[in-house]
């Protein structure tokens, strides 16, 4: 429905009604409709619904739903010459269309309404502005040839675009047309092309694109499809780094697939995102890449599709750290496939085929060209698996492969696993949780590490000055094995087993673990959950001198907690961010006991414990280091505190603190009597202030023998300044290096259009300022420019970098994403 309200004075409405009725009753025949004026832009709109001054009993001259609201303005004219409405005039429809103008002329012969003066047409997020527009109410079209079209945040050049109906929506097609986001009379930039197609809310496509700064062309592309709701299209990032020299990284993203639309000439329902990469690094050469991603996938961070990248490296031995390298080939590449295929087997479960493969040219590729990935995952897995998931279980059949032979990797060829979620057993209150698996396992070090480091270490005589440097190139597990083999105090009978673990180990393993629990709740303040279970593990086909073996494990324990609450009402509202306060305290205790047939200390192990500062899980079903599980008897005492207030009409956790300590009746990792005292704190009093804090300190009997503080503070003292502060302290850990690190990040808004950011990382333990980053930002209205410089002290060699950014705040065309690499 299309309504144009016309609340003129009552006598004017009556006069118009009388006049129109007289014309009809007199039997006069209206002349033929005049030919409407030429139209450059015809935009289909809903049929007219504008009653003018009322409905004639015998039948309206205008459609019944034609109504005009001129907010009490003047009304002049007659049926022969037309009706002139003084403004402001407003036309609105329940389909979202609204037209505003200073005045309007109704031509009954041409069956049109002409709007003049500050004309604005709104429909959804589409806005058209100009001095004149003609609405042909019989044809149901709007002549907007003199209007500039705006679809937040895009403005279309006036007189250049034609609206076309396509499947119930309007698309705009322009020939030799331009768009901009600079909403002023003379925009400072335009994007022009031979053919521009705008899909409101979706994307804009350009054929033969030229970018103009003012009236001067500054950039050209043959084709660009730029989505409006994602970071696609063309991106380029210039900068300089110590191990790259000056560089320019280019990404050109377009959508592929779908069916061709004969109206627009574009493909519809495109589903395949392709990112074409062309990178230039002064000291390393040119590189080519292609990323393909299925946009129909839900989890695009993990299921990223196919990625290809290649460069002929001009200096493959150039290093960021200053550590010498083994021989590296000039041909550097990465092939990565992360794909998920949903399988329809017709059962009441979800089936999928997951592929996660990464092929690298050498062990230094990620460090050189993907430092973000190298920091978090320096040795990526290679797996292919079929999975079946329902509400109660997960069935997995997958393999893990040693595709890259230059770093240590374990293999599973294959593993079949069946995991059962905790659920009632046969409808009883008794809960069951379990896991069963069979796998053919193997592990061996990287070939390069073995030839260049391990073999020489095993051959060097005691006291050789080369030993410390070679040991530093091994990971912690390999280093400990080499040191045990080289130690004069090691029993010679252990040497074959240690060498097998170091160089090539493997076995077949069957493992099944099941736990049963029975939770009780009393009066909503006391919960008690006892649990018992058992597990069986069988090893066979063991490589090396070890024989097949079996392990039987029994485990049990209980968890108990009570809850007390205290409502303080509004008595603490003087504290920041508190509107009423509820205190919930939950003292709790947990007991876990495990009795297991332990393996010999030199028995080959693949699923091992990793070095950490956090406590191990007390539930065996959460314990993934199956080969190193030992007998234990542990009591945990703790209390959780919640301070809850009201914020935005909902409950908000103002403060959370979990404090706990473990008593070792039988320590699986040493001779400890007590663990450290742990405190995990989250404090979020205000939207601009937050603190995360983890601490642990020895309390009784030396605890775990080390101390740790890990904290991060976020704070905005005023709206133009933001500060982040992090502190990490680790002292006397038996394996991990001591650290006393401070990280400070700041952002200052110096003026309305200027901002500056900094980041510093300082290692107090050895007095090293590890990282310095400085960035400067300038707001140019529609664009934000930035420059950043970085310095990193790698202790062996310093690293420097500089980067530039230029980003549109409204429309995402060519942009330079601001990013400083961190390792």
């Amino acid at each position: 429905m299309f309504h144009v309200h016309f609340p003129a004075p009552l006598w004017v409405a009556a006069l118009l009604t009388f006049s129109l009725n007289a014309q009809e009753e007199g039997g006069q025949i209206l002349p033929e409709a005049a030919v409407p004026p030429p139209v450059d832009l015809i935009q289909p709109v809903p049929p007219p619904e504008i009653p003018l001054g009322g409905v004639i009993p015998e039948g309206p001259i205008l459609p019944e739903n034609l109504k005009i609201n001129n907010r009490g303005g003047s009304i002049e004219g007659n049926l022969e010459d037309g009706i002139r409405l003084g403004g402001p005039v407003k036309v609105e429809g329940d389909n979202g269309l609204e037209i505003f103008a200073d005045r309007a002329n109704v031509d009954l012969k041409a069956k049109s309404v002409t709007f003049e003066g500050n004309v604005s047409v709104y429909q959804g997020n589409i806005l058209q502005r100009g001095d004149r527009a003609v609405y042909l109410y019989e044809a149901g079209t709007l002549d907007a040839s003199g209007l500039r079209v705006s679809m937040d945040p895009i403005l279309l050049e006036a007189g250049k675009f034609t609206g076309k109906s396509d499947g119930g929506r309007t698309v705009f097609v322009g020939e030799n047309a331009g768009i901009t986001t600079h909403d002023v009379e003379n925009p400072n930039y335009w994007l022009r092309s031979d053919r521009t197609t705008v899909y409101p809310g979706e994307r804009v496509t350009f054929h033969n694109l030229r970018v103009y700064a003012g009236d001067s062309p500054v950039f050209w592309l043959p084709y660009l499809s730029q989505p409006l709701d994602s970071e696609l299209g063309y991106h380029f990032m210039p900068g300089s780094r110590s191990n790259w020299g000056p560089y320019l990284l280019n990404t050109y993203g377009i959508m592929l697939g779908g069916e061709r639309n004969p109206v627009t000439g574009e493909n519809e329902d495109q589903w395949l995102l392709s990112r074409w990469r062309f990178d230039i690094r002064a000291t390393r050469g040119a590189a080519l890449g292609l990323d393909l991603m299925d946009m129909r996938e839900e989890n695009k961070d993990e299921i990223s599709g196919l990625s290809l990248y290649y460069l002929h490296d001009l200096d493959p031995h150039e290093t960021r750290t200053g550590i010498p390298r083994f021989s590296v080939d000039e041909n550097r590449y990465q092939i990565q496939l992360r794909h998920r295929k949903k399988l329809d087997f017709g059962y009441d479960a979800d089936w999928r085929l997951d592929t996660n493969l990464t092929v690298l040219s050498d062990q230094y590729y990620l460090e050189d060209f993907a430092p973000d990935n190298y920091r978090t995952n320096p040795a990526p897995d290679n797996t292919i698996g079929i999975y079946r998931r329902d509400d109660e279980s997960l069935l997995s059949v997958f393999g893990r492969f040693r595709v890259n032979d230059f770093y240590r990797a374990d293999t599973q060829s294959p593993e079949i696993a069946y995991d059962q979620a905790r659920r009632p057993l046969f409808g009883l209150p008794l809960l069951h949780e379990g896991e069963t698996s069979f796998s053919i396992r193997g592990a061996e070090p990287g070939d390069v590490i073995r030839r260049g480091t391990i073999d020489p270490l095993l051959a060097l005589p005691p006291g050789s000055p080369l030993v410390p440097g070679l040991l530093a190139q091994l990971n912690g597990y390999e280093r400990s094995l080499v040191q045990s083999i080289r130690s004069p105090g090691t029993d010679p009978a252990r040497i074959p087993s240690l060498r097998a673990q170091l160089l090539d180990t493997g076995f077949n393993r069957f493992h099944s673990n099941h736990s049963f629990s029975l939770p009780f709740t009393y009066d909503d303040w006391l919960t008690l959950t006892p649990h018992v279970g058992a597990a069986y593990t069988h090893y066979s086909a063991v490589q090396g001198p070890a024989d097949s073996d079996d392990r039987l494990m029994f485990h049990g324990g209980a968890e108990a907690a009570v809850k007390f609450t205290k409502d303080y009402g509004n008595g603490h509202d003087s504290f920041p961010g508190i509107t009423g306060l509820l205190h919930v305290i939950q003292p709790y205790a947990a007991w876990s006991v495990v009795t297991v047939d332990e393996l010999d200390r030199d028995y080959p192990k693949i699923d091992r414990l990793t070095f950490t500062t956090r406590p191990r899980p007390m539930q065996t079903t959460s314990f993934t280091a199956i080969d190193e599980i030992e007998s234990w008897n542990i009591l945990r005492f703790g209390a959780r505190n919640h301070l809850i207030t009201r914020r935005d009409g909902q409950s908000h956790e103002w403060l959370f603190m979990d404090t706990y300590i473990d008593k070792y009746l039988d320590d699986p990792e040493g001779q400890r009597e007590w663990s450290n005292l742990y405190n995990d704190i989250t404090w979020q009093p205000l939207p601009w202030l937050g603190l995360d804090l983890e601490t642990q300190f020895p309390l009784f009997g030396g605890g775990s023998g080390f101390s740790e503080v890990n904290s991060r503070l976020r704070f905005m003292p005023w709206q133009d300044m933001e500060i982040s502060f992090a502190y990490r302290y680790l002292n006397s850990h038996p394996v991990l290096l001591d650290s006393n690190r401070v990280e400070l990040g700041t952002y200052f808004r110096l003026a309305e259009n200027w901002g500056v950011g900094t980041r510093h990382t300082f290692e107090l333990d050895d007095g090293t300022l590890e990282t310095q980053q400085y960035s400067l930002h300038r707001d140019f209205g529609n664009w934000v420019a930035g420059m950043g410089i970085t310095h990193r002290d790698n202790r062996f060699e310093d690293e420097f970098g500089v980067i530039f950014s230029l980003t549109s705040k409204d429309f995402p065309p060519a942009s330079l994403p601001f990013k400083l690499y961190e390792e």
Side-chain angles (χ1 to χ4, degrees), residues 115-335:
F115 301 91
E116 296 178 334
N118 295 316
V119 179
S120 298
V121 181
Y122 294 87
Q123 189 170 18
N125 69 333
I126 302 175
L127 167 64
Q128 297 170 272
R129 290 176 178 171
D131 294 326
R132 185 177 183 273
V134 179
Y135 176 64
L136 306 176
Y137 55 80
E138 186 174 66
T141 58
L142 179 71
D143 168 16
S145 58
L147 303 182
R148 175 189 293 175
V149 182
S150 169
M151 290 166 295
D152 187 24
I154 302 172
L155 299 173
L156 309 186
E157 189 173 10
K160 297 287 189 177
F161 284 85
T162 301
K164 296 184 178 180
S165 179
D166 174 37
R169 63 176 181 175
T170 299
V171 298
F172 296 88
V173 181
E175 304 292 337
N176 193 25
I179 71 171
T180 185
T181 61
H182 196 194
D183 191 9
V184 297
E185 183 176 358
N186 297 307
N188 57 20
Y189 80 95
W190 285 95
L191 304 178
R192 301 184 185 277
S193 69
D194 293 347
R195 180 182 176 90
T196 304
T197 306
V198 180
Y199 301 82
E202 295 183 14
R203 67 185 188 279
V204 183
T205 62
F206 305 90
H207 295 263
N208 194 23
L209 169 67
R210 288 93 63 195
V211 180
Y212 287 81
D215 296 326
S216 302
V218 295
F219 192 75
W220 171 84
L221 278 176
Y223 176 84
L224 176 65
S225 177
Q226 176 62 58
L228 301 179
D229 58 353
S230 59
E231 298 180 2
L232 306 178
Y234 178 69
H235 300 266
F236 56 98
M237 183 167 60
S240 180
R241 298 185 66 194
S242 297
N243 63 325
W244 288 358
Y247 64 83
L248 178 64
L249 309 182
N250 302 273
T251 303
Y252 184 42
I254 59 175
M255 298 299 297
L256 303 175
E259 300 293 334
R260 184 176 179 82
N261 187 315
V263 176
T264 63
E266 303 291 337
N267 282 13
E268 299 291 339
D269 300 323
Q270 295 171 311
W271 56 272
L272 183 63
L273 167 63
S274 63
R275 292 193 184 103
W276 303 80
R277 302 171 62 184
F278 178 66
D279 301 335
I280 302 174
R281 302 174 177 88
T283 63
R284 313 303 284 267
L288 298 173
L290 172 62
D291 300 330
L292 299 175
M293 178 185 295
D294 188 344
M295 300 302 292
R296 298 169 297 186
E297 293 291 348
E298 297 179 357
N299 192 353
K300 299 181 183 64
D301 293 334
E302 297 180 4
I303 312 300
S304 55
L306 176 65
S307 178
L308 309 172
Y309 197 80
Y310 171 81
L311 78 157
H312 184 79
D313 198 343
L314 301 179
D315 191 4
H317 292 89
E318 175 66 29
T319 173
R320 298 171 46 248
T321 61
I323 299 176
R325 291 182 169 180
F326 300 111
S327 176
V328 183
D329 191 87
E330 294 85 356
N331 296 302
R332 315 288 298 277
Y333 58 84
Q334 173 181 278
I335 303 172

Side-chain angles (χ1 to χ4, degrees), residues 343-396:
L343 306 175
D344 186 8
F345 288 160
Y347 300 107
D348 188 19
D350 295 328
W351 290 80
R352 69 179 192 268
L353 170 64
D354 283 358
T355 304
N356 182 14
L357 300 175
T358 302
V359 181
L360 303 174
S361 58
D362 55 80
Q363 68 267 40
Y364 304 112
Y365 174 88
L366 294 179
E367 179 184 350
D368 287 348
F369 303 109
D372 287 348
N373 293 339
Y374 178 75
R375 185 178 69 251
T376 58
N377 188 19
D381 270 346
N382 287 274
T383 60
I384 299 177
I386 296 178
Y387 302 87
R388 177 198 179 278
R389 178 187 291 274
D390 58 27
D391 294 337
E392 298 181 348
S393 63
L394 173 65
L395 173 65
S396 310

Side-chain angles (χ1 to χ4, degrees), residues 607-629:
D607 287 333
R608 304 180 308 274
L609 293 171
T610 56
F611 303 124
T612 180
T613 62
R614 304 300 297 172
R616 307 292 185 185
M618 296 179 65
Q619 293 284 352
T620 60
T621 51
S622 303
F623 203 91
T624 58
I626 296 174
D627 299 331
E628 280 200 327
I629 192 168

